[in-house]
Amino acid sequence: MREKGGKPGGFMLASLVTACNHDEEMVDQGIQIHCFVAKLGLMSNVYVGTALLHLYGKKYLLSDAWRFFQEMPERNVVTWTALMVSCSVNEQPVEAITAYQNMRREGVVCNENSYATVISSCGLLESEKLNRQVLAHVVVSGFEAEVSVANSLLTMFGNMGKVEEAEQLFHRMEDRDTISWNSLLSIYTREGMCKEALRCFSEMRHSNFKPDMTTLSCMISACASADNVKWGRGLHAFVVKNDLESFVSVCNTLISMYSMLGKTDDAEMLFRAMPVKDVISWNTMMSSYSQNGNNIGALKLLSEMLQLNKECNHVTFATALAACASLEAFLDGKTIHALAIFIGLRENLVVCNSLITMYSKFNAMREAERVFQTMPRCDVITWNTLIGGYMENEEKNEVIQTFNQMRRAGIRGNYITVVNVLGVCSTPHDLPDHGKALHAYAISIGLEINEFVLNSLITMYANGGDFNSSDFIFDQMSSKNVVSWNAMIASKAHHGHGEEAMKYLKEMFSAGIELDQFSFSGGLSASACLASKGEGQQIHCLIIKFGFDSDLHVINAAMDMYGKCGKMDDALKLLPEPSKRSRLTWNIMISCYARYGQFIEAEDTFNKMLLLGPKPDYVTFVSLLSACNHAGLVDKGLTYYKLMTYKFGISPRIEHCACIIDLLGRSGRLTEAEKFIEEMSILPNSLIWRSLLSASRTHRRLDTGQKAAMHLLQLDPLDDSAYVLLANAYALSGKWDDVEKLREHMNSTNLKKRPACSWIQVKNKVSTFGVADKAHPLAKEVYSKLEWILQLVKEAGYVADTSQSLHDTDEEQKECNLWNHSEKLALAFGLMSVPAGCTITVFKNLRVCGDCHLVYKLLSKVITREIVLRDPYRFHHFKGGICSCSDYW
């Protein structure tokens, strides 16, 4: 045309720009036409200007679109709408709203396309106030009845979760198109309202609207749950009957549905039968494998894609990286990382976030940091992923530092950020240092009523020992869900408040809240804390009734409960097959055997775990070292300590070190214990010094005891155990003046010794006894029975071990004091109340003394009765004059 002298007009040039806009590879030609337009002086032509705005907006050149718009001499409603569309396409809803506001200020009257565009942008921002304002503009302008505007309003109401308002608008619409029906179906699908979606689908067909690809994709997604599997298969049949299998998007949705239903074989059969597959098809199938635990299948599918030269995108690699979920797949993950770099996805945000997640799972946080440092742009998901990785790998300092770095970078956190950071506040020291400041931060960003944040705050305050605050937050919650109740139950049980935990469980049940596996596990932990076998058995019955008896999390909690309540046989009855045991299952078994002093069984379980189960972790070795400790196997314990470090690469924690100190100290090897403390890679805490002080008292090493007490009191000047243990050490050495000085100092500082207490449960009623306690209703009968016990054991050769009575009195008074011990009173009551032939089980809050241990042993032989005594450290099972601890405790 130009060769023949024809002069192009504005409409023709606008058509050419539009043609360039439709072809991904013709952006440069579009820019050349822009130059030609300027040369011809047609920049003021509205048609050309609008077409150029669409070109720049669609090709992700938004800044160029804005600059071009500002240079336009004339702008009308079509031009403004084109700018808003450009902002919306580039996922910049705030910019689109700004353009809309400027348009109104300039007095330009909106049309239906303007409103449809701005409403879509409002829906992305999820601001109810803004949505209401735009809705008011629509109503006042009289465009509510326009189909395109009404469709956008339907979507907006759906994004706000306002289902009823969307339904009301839909039913008021005089004209509807397929998009109208699809919008309502999409809302029902998003809200999980399958029945409503099916009803709407039926009405749509009866109204002579033909379902399209979007309709079917919505309906299939709505049926992606076990309850609606028959409807999902019915829709699949509808697709086949109507010869719609050629629509790739419909088949992709069917694959996703079968995947979510756990029917991977059906998904794979459909995938293989598809004549044409796009990258979404491959990605969906790969995700199906990964979601259903077939990570190898997912990685093989990636390999197949690469071999067939199929298109791969950022979703492909993000899905493949998610499939690298175990340590065995570390090399695969590194390989996929290299492939992502090779095809140019090194700086892709989604891929980088997936890489940080993967390396976090591999405990390779330094690799995760390197990925983070090379990212040109980070969003809140990136920061949350890195913080979450540090939290999972228990790198507390890095969590706090990264959170502070995130705030300095101007990134606004969300509820996931706050929950992750609160997760590392697990000690009383963390509460004033970080916890309260985090609570304030949550309030400052408007998360004070977010249920996830509130549940984490409950746990955080409980971990910090501030139960008043955790109770207050729980009581003030307007809507308490099952997670809120579980948080209260778990925190109470974890910190030894078993009775309160049981109270919350009962209240939760009475309130009609549906109990889940975590509710039952919390209740079992509370029963274990109270050593209440009866309540634990009742909870176990409820577990069976509600169908949670096959849940491994619950099984582990039940095993732990029975083990701590002295019912090892019942614990073993619940033991799953080796292939079904988790690491926690193996750890609980070893811990139970350790508590019962059964080292051979504990070691045998550990060896089986190495052969059949997952790799041991630091908890495994805490239990194993405890088993060595209770059996007095010092060299064995030291061997396992070295094995843990050098073979399994587990860094020693304070619990491991405390076991070794206790092991060396109780065997009299105090010099080695002191040397071990000096060489520890971590700072010794009160647990370490208390163990050394206790051993010093036992072996009458006063100099070592004084040194340990000094360190213990430096850590906590108000630690009553330090004064008590040191006073006992002075008493054993005959230094009664020093004993008196310590006791006077305790009185002057108002420090009270933790009183000894023993209890026994008979017929679901707990009877508690203190030292020389006469408050029990049957006290007279109890002391009478105690006299009877004294006579029996004396006839069996009992001689009072007065070395256990650490008071400066004569031998007769010392012996009298010994017979006022709480565990003897509880034993006497048990003989009165527990039916003949049944095992008597007594619990004590402090370590049992040597004299009481002797009495229990002798009595079990004289009256031929099994007696179980549980103190905080272990079980003592007395039978025929022998204790399961072999007199080593």
Side-chain angles (χ1 to χ4, degrees):
M1 184 190 75
R2 291 186 64 200
E3 286 174 357
K4 292 182 178 181
K7 187 177 180 181
F11 186 78
M12 178 184 292
L13 292 169
S15 299
L16 285 172
V17 173
T18 303
C20 295
N21 197 13
H22 288 308
D23 192 320
E24 293 290 334
E25 297 180 359
M26 294 190 67
V27 180
D28 291 340
Q29 285 88 336
I31 295 172
Q32 289 175 22
I33 293 170
H34 184 179
C35 296
F36 186 59
V37 167
K39 182 178 179 181
L40 294 175
L42 293 174
M43 290 294 290
S44 61
N45 186 287
V46 173
Y47 297 106
V48 176
T50 303
L52 285 168
L53 273 176
H54 282 299
L55 173 75
Y56 288 122
K58 191 175 178 182
K59 301 306 178 184
Y60 304 102
L61 301 169
L62 186 59
S63 60
D64 291 325
W66 267 103
R67 189 164 60 250
F68 176 72
F69 176 81
Q70 289 166 353
E71 292 173 356
M72 291 178 70
E74 293 183 24
R75 293 180 288 221
N76 62 10
V77 63
V78 179
T79 316
W80 281 99
T81 303
L83 179 64
M84 286 191 285
V85 169
S86 297
C87 295
S88 183
V89 166
N90 285 275
E91 298 180 355
Q92 298 289 337
V94 175
E95 298 289 334
I97 300 298
T98 301
Y100 169 73
Q101 291 169 337
N102 291 337
M103 173 184 175
R104 284 177 57 83
R105 288 192 193 101
E106 291 192 10
V108 179
V109 179
C110 296
N111 61 17
E112 61 269 29
N113 293 330
S114 312
Y115 281 122
T117 303
V118 74
I119 290 167
S120 299
S121 298
C122 288
L124 294 172
L125 290 176
E126 299 182 359
S127 169
E128 185 167 348
K129 181 180 177 182
L130 186 61
N131 290 343
R132 298 288 184 190
Q133 289 174 345
V134 174
L135 176 59
H137 295 165
V138 171
V139 174
V140 169
S141 302
F143 283 101
E144 185 182 4
E146 293 290 336
V147 175
S148 61
V149 176
N151 290 343
S152 296
L153 285 171
L154 281 173
T155 304
M156 183 187 78
F157 283 132
N159 291 335
M160 293 165 63
K162 306 287 185 182
V163 180
E164 291 184 10
E165 295 185 23
E167 289 175 331
Q168 290 170 8
L169 173 62
F170 180 81
H171 293 308
R172 285 202 310 269
M173 290 173 68
E174 295 178 2
D175 296 320
R176 299 175 189 144
D177 57 12
T178 303
I179 296 173
S180 311
W181 289 96
N182 289 346
S183 297
L184 188 59
L185 282 171
S186 178
I187 293 170
Y188 287 141
T189 300
R190 188 186 298 113
E191 297 297 326
M193 301 167 69
C194 182
K195 290 182 180 178
E196 288 79 1
L198 289 165
R199 175 179 51 75
C200 183
F201 179 65
S202 177
E203 290 176 5
M204 177 183 181
R205 294 181 65 201
H206 283 101
S207 299
N208 296 321
F209 282 93
K210 187 177 180 180
D212 60 10
M213 293 182 291
T214 305
T215 314
L216 291 169
S217 295
C218 279
M219 287 306 305
I220 293 165
S221 298
C223 297
S225 69
D227 296 334
N228 303 307
V229 62
K230 66 176 182 179
W231 298 112
R233 289 194 179 280
L235 286 164
H236 190 176
F238 180 86
V239 169
V240 175
K241 180 181 176 181
N242 291 276
D243 197 26
L244 299 172
E245 288 177 299
S246 59
F247 290 113
V248 178
S249 62
V250 174
C251 290
N252 291 344
T253 312
L254 281 168
I255 293 171
S256 179
M257 179 195 75
Y258 284 122
S259 169
M260 294 179 72
L261 293 171
K263 298 183 179 297
T264 314
D265 292 341
D266 290 337
E268 185 174 14
M269 190 182 303
L270 178 61
F271 173 77
R272 295 299 176 189
M274 287 175 67
V276 178
K277 307 180 185 74
D278 61 10
V279 66
I280 298 174
S281 312
W282 290 90
N283 292 346
T284 305
M285 192 64 231
M286 193 185 301
S287 178
S288 173
Y289 284 132
S290 182
Q291 287 173 7
N292 289 281
N294 185 4
N295 293 324
I296 294 175
L299 296 176
K300 284 184 177 178
L301 198 62
L302 173 66
S303 176
E304 185 180 342
M305 286 183 74
L306 295 170
Q307 289 172 9
L308 295 173
N309 291 320
K310 294 292 180 181
E311 178 192 357
C312 296
N313 61 13
H314 63 282
V315 178
T316 313
F317 283 93
T319 307
L321 290 167
C324 302
S326 62
L327 288 173
E328 289 75 15
F330 183 70
L331 185 58
D332 294 323
K334 297 277 283 185
T335 303
I336 294 168
H337 187 178
L339 285 169
I341 294 171
F342 179 74
I343 69 166
L345 293 173
R346 178 174 190 164
E347 296 182 350
N348 183 274
L349 186 63
V350 175
V351 172
C352 289
N353 289 344
S354 300
L355 282 167
I356 294 172
T357 302
M358 180 194 72
Y359 284 123
S360 299
K361 289 178 180 177
F362 292 150
N363 304 325
M365 289 309 298
R366 306 294 80 81
E367 294 285 347
E369 287 169 359
R370 276 192 280 274
V371 172
F372 177 78
Q373 289 161 2
T374 59
M375 292 175 67
R377 183 172 71 88
C378 301
D379 60 6
V380 68
I381 297 173
T382 313
W383 290 95
N384 286 347
T385 304
L386 186 62
I387 290 170
Y390 285 132
M391 188 193 71
E392 289 174 8
N393 288 280
E394 299 183 6
E395 297 185 25
K396 179 189 293 187
N397 292 335
E398 283 72 14
V399 169
I400 302 298
Q401 289 172 9
T402 305
F403 172 66
N404 290 332
Q405 187 182 348
M406 172 184 174
R407 294 186 64 190
R408 286 194 296 270
I411 303 295
R412 181 187 175 92
N414 57 18
Y415 76 95
I416 296 174
T417 317
V418 177
V419 168
N420 276 338
V421 183
L422 286 172
V424 299
C425 298
S426 56
T427 68
H429 297 297
D430 293 328
L431 185 58
D433 291 347
H434 308 296
K436 292 184 178 180
L438 285 168
H439 190 174
Y441 174 76
I443 294 171
S444 72
I445 61 173
L447 295 175
E448 64 271 21
I449 59 172
N450 182 280
E451 61 183 32
F452 298 102
V453 172
L454 289 174
N455 293 334
S456 297
L457 285 169
I458 288 170
T459 304
M460 186 267 291
Y461 278 110
N463 287 339
D466 187 355
F467 288 99
N468 290 332
S469 293
S470 64
D471 293 349
F472 177 80
I473 292 170
F474 179 78
D475 293 338
Q476 294 299 310
M477 290 178 71
S478 57
S479 177
K480 302 178 179 72
N481 60 15
V482 64
V483 180
S484 312
W485 287 94
N486 289 347
M488 289 298 291
I489 294 166
S491 62
K492 297 292 185 184
H494 181 71
H495 291 87
H497 298 182
E499 291 182 1
E500 290 186 54
M502 292 301 298
K503 179 182 75 110
Y504 278 108
L505 182 67
K506 291 171 185 175
E507 286 181 9
M508 179 182 180
F509 187 69
S510 301
I513 305 295
E514 187 174 347
L515 305 179
D516 63 10
Q517 65 267 39
F518 301 107
S519 314
F520 287 119
S521 298
L524 290 168
S525 296
S527 301
C529 171
L530 295 169
S532 177
K533 179 188 70 177
E535 289 183 311
Q537 288 174 325
Q538 290 176 26
I539 294 172
H540 194 181
C541 290
L542 280 175
I543 288 166
I544 295 170
K545 179 180 177 181
F546 285 96
F548 286 98
D549 50 318
S550 59
D551 186 281
L552 187 58
H553 188 76
V554 175
I555 291 171
N556 289 338
M559 286 178 59
D560 189 52
M561 182 273 295
Y562 282 120
K564 289 177 178 175
C565 290
K567 304 297 289 184
M568 189 67 184
D569 292 342
D570 290 335
L572 293 175
K573 287 176 185 175
L574 297 173
L575 190 62
E577 292 295 318
S579 60
K580 297 180 180 178
R581 297 173 195 169
S582 66
R583 183 184 285 111
L584 180 60
T585 313
W586 292 97
N587 289 348
I588 288 171
M589 287 174 62
I590 297 170
S591 177
C592 286
Y593 283 129
R595 198 177 289 113
Y596 280 83
Q598 299 175 347
F599 172 76
I600 294 174
E601 290 82 356
E603 186 176 46
D604 182 56
T605 303
F606 175 71
N607 290 330
K608 287 179 180 176
M609 179 182 183
L610 295 181
L611 186 65
L612 305 170
K615 289 182 179 180
D617 61 2
Y618 81 95
V619 178
T620 313
F621 282 97
V622 170
S623 300
L624 192 60
L625 292 173
S626 296
C628 296
N629 193 4
H630 291 318
L633 301 172
V634 183
D635 293 334
K636 198 85 167 177
L638 292 172
T639 300
Y640 277 124
Y641 182 83
K642 292 176 182 176
L643 187 75
M644 171 188 77
T645 307
Y646 295 112
K647 182 175 180 179
F648 294 97
I650 299 172
S651 300
R653 300 197 183 188
I654 203 71
E655 297 90 343
H656 304 119
C657 297
C659 284
I660 296 297
I661 296 300
D662 203 38
L663 189 62
L664 291 168
R666 286 168 62 194
S667 63
R669 296 162 65 168
L670 269 72
T671 304
E672 290 179 61
E674 289 185 83
K675 184 179 179 183
F676 183 89
I677 293 173
E678 291 173 1
E679 295 175 352
M680 279 170 55
S681 57
I682 48 180
L683 288 173
N685 65 357
S686 58
L687 197 62
I688 299 293
W689 295 116
R690 196 175 292 113
S691 295
L692 185 63
L693 177 53
S694 179
S696 304
R697 180 204 62 179
T698 302
H699 296 284
R700 306 193 180 191
R701 287 277 299 273
L702 192 57
D703 54 337
T704 303
Q706 288 173 321
K707 179 181 175 182
M710 179 188 71
H711 285 288
L712 190 54
L713 291 172
Q714 282 177 349
L715 291 171
D716 184 2
L718 298 178
D719 189 339
D720 64 304
S721 66
Y723 292 101
V724 172
L725 288 170
L726 186 57
N728 291 346
Y730 282 139
L732 287 169
S733 302
K735 295 182 175 294
W736 296 109
D737 291 341
D738 292 325
V739 173
E740 191 60 32
K741 287 177 183 178
L742 275 178
R743 288 175 179 166
E744 286 176 1
H745 179 73
M746 288 181 70
N747 289 332
S748 65
T749 54
N750 202 27
L751 272 177
K752 303 292 184 184
K753 175 187 173 183
R754 184 184 179 191
C757 173
S758 298
W759 63 97
I760 183 170
Q761 185 173 6
V762 180
K763 296 180 181 178
N764 292 327
K765 184 177 180 181
V766 177
S767 294
T768 307
F769 298 90
V771 177
D773 195 346
K774 294 183 180 178
H776 195 277
L778 298 176
K780 187 175 180 181
E781 291 84 348
V782 168
Y783 278 93
S784 175
K785 197 69 173 178
L786 200 59
E787 288 292 332
W788 177 78
I789 294 172
L790 178 58
Q791 294 303 317
L792 279 181
V793 294
K794 278 188 174 180
E795 291 172 8
Y798 166 75
V799 177
D801 182 5
T802 54
S803 66
Q804 302 293 323
S805 182
L806 303 176
H807 294 274
D808 190 13
T809 58
D810 56 38
E811 289 297 308
E812 183 178 349
Q813 183 60 47
K814 285 182 178 181
E815 185 173 343
C816 181
N817 291 342
L818 288 173
W819 279 85
N820 282 327
H821 281 192
S822 63
E823 56 263 56
K824 289 190 177 82
L825 295 173
L827 176 60
F829 179 77
L831 288 170
M832 291 166 47
S833 309
V834 178
C838 295
T839 302
I840 297 172
T841 304
V842 175
F843 301 88
K844 188 181 179 185
N845 67 332
L846 301 177
R847 194 191 295 269
V848 60
C849 81
D851 187 76
C852 292
H853 191 272
L854 176 61
V855 169
Y856 271 61
K857 266 203 323 178
L858 292 172
L859 191 63
S860 70
K861 181 178 181 181
V862 172
I863 64 174
T864 319
R865 190 85 175 261
E866 288 189 37
I867 306 170
V868 174
L869 173 63
R870 177 194 155 179
D871 64 18
Y873 303 95
R874 65 180 301 160
F875 276 96
H876 298 269
H877 193 159
F878 301 94
K879 184 178 179 181
I882 299 173
C883 179
S884 58
C885 74
S886 302
D887 297 339
Y888 186 89
W889 78 98

